[in-house]
Amino acid sequence: MADSKTDKQLLHLVIGGELSSIDGITFADLDKVDIVGLYPNYATALVAWKQKAQMTVDSAQTRYFIVHLHRLLDPETAGA
């Protein structure tokens, strides 16, 4: 649990999967979306994203994304 002496937790979610078109961000099958994980900051989410993105580099329709959950949970952190 975070205390006042630690940095504020900025949650990030890494997800990905096959898109229905390379021109958009609509997943072809929501049941097959890969939920990679939930991370306490952008830096650790970026490491996970890079790993998954590199594993699927040969599949043009497979994309991974970092979702800034902290912006949804606390809109005041949008600039953080």
Side-chain angles (χ1 to χ4, degrees), residues 2 6-11 39-41 70 77:
T6 61
D7 291 334
K8 188 171 185 177
Q9 190 177 59
L10 300 175
L11 294 176
Y39 301 91
N41 55 52
H70 63 94
T77 66

Side-chain angles (χ1 to χ4, degrees), residues 41-62:
N41 55 52
Y42 182 78
T44 56
L46 184 61
V47 170
W49 172 84
K50 280 184 180 180
Q51 180 182 14
K52 286 302 233 178
Q54 288 174 350
M55 291 172 59
T56 60
V57 71
D58 292 331
S59 175
Q61 292 211 189
T62 301

